[in-house]
Amino acid sequence: MGRRALPGLPSPPWRLPGPGLPGLGLPDLGLPGLGLPAVVPQVVPWRWVMDAADLREDGLRADYTAAARLAAGRYPGLYPLMRVGLPASWQPYLFAVIAFGVEADRLVDVPARRRDPRRLRAWSEQVRRGLRTGRADRPHLRAFLHTVALRSLDHDDVHLFLEGQHEQQWVGGYDAEQDHHDHVDRVGVPIFRMLFCAASTDARARRGRWLRPVTDGVQRADDLADLSADLRRGRLTIPRTDLDRFGVSRADLESGRDTPAVRALLRHACGKARDTVRTARRELDTAGGDARLLYAPLLLGCRLTVEAAERQGAALARRGVIWQPPPSPFGVLRFVKRRLLPSEA
């Protein structure tokens, strides 16, 4: 696999040129398609990652590689954090669950005029059939089904997630704050519990109280990052009650107006996200080592996302989150050293 790029992926802002870091003699270990140099010993080549996860059969390795490519394409900022900070033996299973969620989002997050509920229904039926048979046509779905069986993911979480996505495809906007919480409970919590179960064998922690606030924090940050794209698809996740409170119309956001009211509304949305991410971090500190190791990098990414959204001001509704300056790989490494070394595991 070497240093080949993933087909169709944009050049990430944190990519470093050349084979490793000049003057440091550090080789590029060839993360699948992303070229992040080997600046910490925790990062290993992808083929070694699959060995660490005891994935030996060529077909399975191809399926999990397809899942990793799909996950990296959707989350180019999160992918290197996971590759740097998480145990190699976890990574294929995590990417399989992420790819499963990405595929569902692709079917749901489309403009209303192009939305075809039959596609989501057919895909959901393939998933349900796969849970019974262990077979599927798509490689990343085969990786997910293998993960479900091997890591004992709860089928109820899969079904709850699918049902939540079927409801979500018809949502064009939130009337009130409760709509956000319903989405977190019906879509977010099931997929986040599957992620944790893909990594950890800690059965008690699977129902820990930390899971819901962590999911909420990530969802708030994700909603900010996707605000502009969601508006273009005909969806708005800022509740109508907040729009009314600040005197902003949906058309103001869709047209990208820059007014004091719009800026105040978006500051309020960023403030809610910032507070929720902070609460999530406090709750995560009460969880076991596996949970902290898995979700601390994600919450770091959420914090950076919220900070970037706050810098955008009214432009957030027009252009989405712009990383300026781009996150430094050395900042990521400092975080890894401080938070994710074995003392936290």
Side-chain angles (χ1 to χ4, degrees):
M1 204 170 298
R3 294 197 299 272
R4 290 179 294 173
L6 293 181
L9 281 190
S11 297
W14 36 260
R15 186 185 179 96
L16 298 178
L21 294 180
L24 296 183
L26 295 172
D28 187 336
L29 288 176
L31 309 188
L34 293 179
L36 189 67
V39 287
V40 289
Q42 288 92 335
V43 183
V44 296
W46 180 245
R47 65 183 182 278
W48 294 358
V49 166
M50 289 189 288
D51 288 342
D54 202 25
L55 298 170
R56 309 288 177 175
E57 194 268 316
D58 287 345
L60 271 180
R61 291 167 79 95
D63 291 345
Y64 277 95
T65 298
R69 288 176 180 272
L70 184 57
R74 174 62 179 86
Y75 298 109
L78 175 62
Y79 181 85
L81 284 171
M82 296 179 68
R83 290 289 280 117
V84 168
L86 296 180
S89 61
W90 291 6
Q91 292 177 24
Y93 307 118
L94 292 170
F95 291 135
V97 176
I98 291 172
F100 170 71
V102 169
E103 184 69 8
D105 286 344
R106 283 180 170 180
L107 296 171
V108 171
D109 294 340
V110 295
R113 65 183 180 278
R114 290 169 36 206
R115 194 170 300 142
D116 184 354
R118 292 173 297 182
R119 295 182 62 206
L120 180 60
R121 192 180 308 119
W123 178 77
S124 297
E125 181 51 39
Q126 185 179 9
V127 173
R128 293 188 176 101
R129 185 167 58 251
L131 291 175
R132 297 190 298 269
T133 65
R135 295 190 296 271
D137 295 332
R138 300 181 184 184
H140 52 269
L141 184 52
R142 289 196 296 269
F144 173 73
L145 294 172
H146 182 263
T147 297
V148 170
L150 187 68
R151 309 297 285 182
S152 301
L153 273 60
D154 193 335
H155 287 201
D156 287 345
D157 280 330
V158 181
H159 294 307
L160 184 60
F161 174 80
L162 293 175
E163 291 164 7
Q165 290 286 27
H166 277 277
E167 295 171 1
Q168 185 67 18
Q169 70 178 325
W170 303 113
V171 174
Y174 292 165
D175 289 328
E177 188 74 8
Q178 185 58 44
D179 294 316
H180 162 84
H181 292 295
D182 289 344
H183 176 73
V184 168
D185 291 334
R186 295 171 185 172
V187 176
V189 168
I191 194 77
F192 270 61
R193 187 157 44 235
M194 285 189 272
L195 275 171
F196 179 73
C197 295
S200 176
T201 58
D202 186 348
R204 281 192 310 172
R206 295 182 175 199
R207 302 288 171 175
R209 69 177 189 183
W210 56 269
L211 181 64
R212 210 283 180 183
V214 167
T215 306
D216 193 10
V218 174
Q219 187 63 57
R220 295 277 189 190
D222 195 53
D223 285 346
L224 288 177
D226 290 345
L227 177 61
S228 177
D230 281 346
L231 285 168
R232 291 193 297 272
R233 291 190 289 255
R235 178 174 293 148
L236 178 60
T237 54
I238 297 177
R240 180 180 50 79
T241 50
D242 284 353
L243 268 66
D244 293 345
R245 173 183 170 187
F246 288 91
V248 175
S249 70
R250 181 167 179 152
D252 291 335
L253 296 175
E254 290 173 338
S255 61
R257 293 188 65 194
D258 186 348
T259 68
V262 169
R263 290 194 294 272
L265 171 68
L266 294 178
R267 278 197 303 272
H268 176 69
C270 288
K272 283 200 291 189
R274 185 177 60 251
D275 291 344
T276 306
V277 170
R278 188 179 296 125
T279 298
R281 179 66 237 198
R282 287 198 303 268
E283 290 293 333
L284 187 61
D285 286 341
T286 70
D290 285 353
R292 297 198 304 275
L293 188 60
L294 175 59
Y295 287 115
L298 188 55
L299 291 180
L300 169 65
C302 291
R303 192 193 77 197
L304 295 173
T305 296
V306 173
E307 291 172 356
E310 289 175 317
R311 290 193 296 268
Q312 289 296 104
L316 180 65
R318 298 192 304 273
R319 295 183 293 178
V321 169
I322 297 177
W323 296 89
Q324 184 64 37
S328 161
F330 295 102
V332 172
L333 295 173
R334 284 192 294 270
F335 177 82
V336 170
K337 182 178 180 182
R338 189 168 62 247
R339 295 287 188 184
L340 303 178
L341 290 179
S343 61
E344 289 285 332

